[in-house]
Amino acid sequence: MTPRIDASIDALVAGTLAGDLRSASRLIRLIDDGAPAAWQAQKRLFSHIGKALVIGITGPPGAGKSTLTDCLIARARRDGKSVGVLAVDPSSPISGGAILGDRIRMNRFALDDAVFIRSLASRGHFGGITPATRGAIRVMDAMGKDVILVETVGVGQDEVDIARLAHTTIVVAVPGLGDDVQAMKAGILEVGDLFVVNKADRPDADETVGYLQNVFRRTPAGEWRRPVLKAQALHHKGIDEIWQAIAEHAVYRHSAAPALKARQRANCEIELRSFLRQGLQQALLRKLDAEPGILEAVADIVAGKSDIYAVTDEILGKLRFGEEREEEARAENVVLRPG
Ligand SMILES: Nc1nc2c(ncn2[C@@H]2O[C@H](COP(=O)(O)OP(=O)(O)OP(=O)(O)O)[C@@H](O)[C@H]2O)c(=O)[nH]1
Ligand SMILES: [Mg+2]
């Protein structure tokens, strides 16, 4: 690494630790781009994190996640807490329409230095919402934000990922026992630590609350019984109750140490493996890109002098990869051999 890049990483790290918005924004963008400098910066930040409370907010499109997030920012500010907000959009790029709408909605905090709002496209360089999102959460943590709110639409794998990142995951539902709540049964019910039936100004809210409460009725003693709360985020109603439930969940988390440790270990293993896979992939691809014999090999194959399978094995062999492939083939042979 050149001294110049090194110095600018130092500046990014120092700026982020000092809570500087521009440094933090730049770093989050570098992380999202998968820049090598971002890795170095994160490495230096790692010993400074772990103080923030991370709250995930997920649920179907249009359920009121952003409106609720806005209310929770205000609630946290009332307690004098600084807040980081990450809006993770699973589909659109960074300047996507939905996120812009969210930004405008949260505009009332634009002049509040203690509130830092960023959006991330979830499909970054490495796919999946986790690596860049976790990186951005850590940046906000390193900035000294007390509370970090992460909003993501609950579709597919995303809500599972967000539950892995957050200390407390809020699932936002809306009244009506239609397909939404039925579909929620599949994955989202397990990931939620607390459920909010938003838009309770609409009919059927109590019915939906009852339905969800029934799902959690048989929670064994000593385990966390997921609260189901009504809210009207648009009218700032029910927010104190949600804030209170978040505090109660924090108490539970601290008491449920063994279960928590197991969850931590599982999450850590997933992240470590994904980092290692990523690093290995990059290292091997760099090796392959630097492989000099490829054009020659192509000429030989086209001229009929060698076959593409042999050449592939030969090049992979040079990259110290061939043996495993042969092993694999041998194993397959055993299976395929007749009789
Ligand atoms: N009636 C009613 N409408 C609400 C309430 N909370 C939010 N809304 C409205 O619901 C619509 C969607 O709200 P958002 O906060 O953007 O929902 P979201 O879940 O963030 O939406 P996506 O990010 O697009 O998935 C907006 O028009 C809100 O004004 C509520 O308590 N009652
Ligand atoms: Mg939203």
Side-chain angles (χ1 to χ4, degrees), residues 62 64-67 98 102 105 151 153:
K65 299 178 294 296
S66 298
T67 315
D102 287 344
R105 206 169 302 135
E151 178 195 337
V153 179

Side-chain angles (χ1 to χ4, degrees), residues 46 130 134 138 164-165 260-277:
F46 193 75
T130 315
R134 195 189 296 266
R138 287 188 175 140
R164 218 174 259 143
L165 300 176
L260 201 70
K261 270 273 170 301
R263 186 164 142 180
Q264 261 177 356
R265 264 198 299 273
N267 290 341
C268 178
E269 182 183 344
I270 288 170
E271 187 176 24
L272 181 58
R273 283 185 188 281
S274 103
F275 278 160
L276 292 172
R277 214 173 292 133

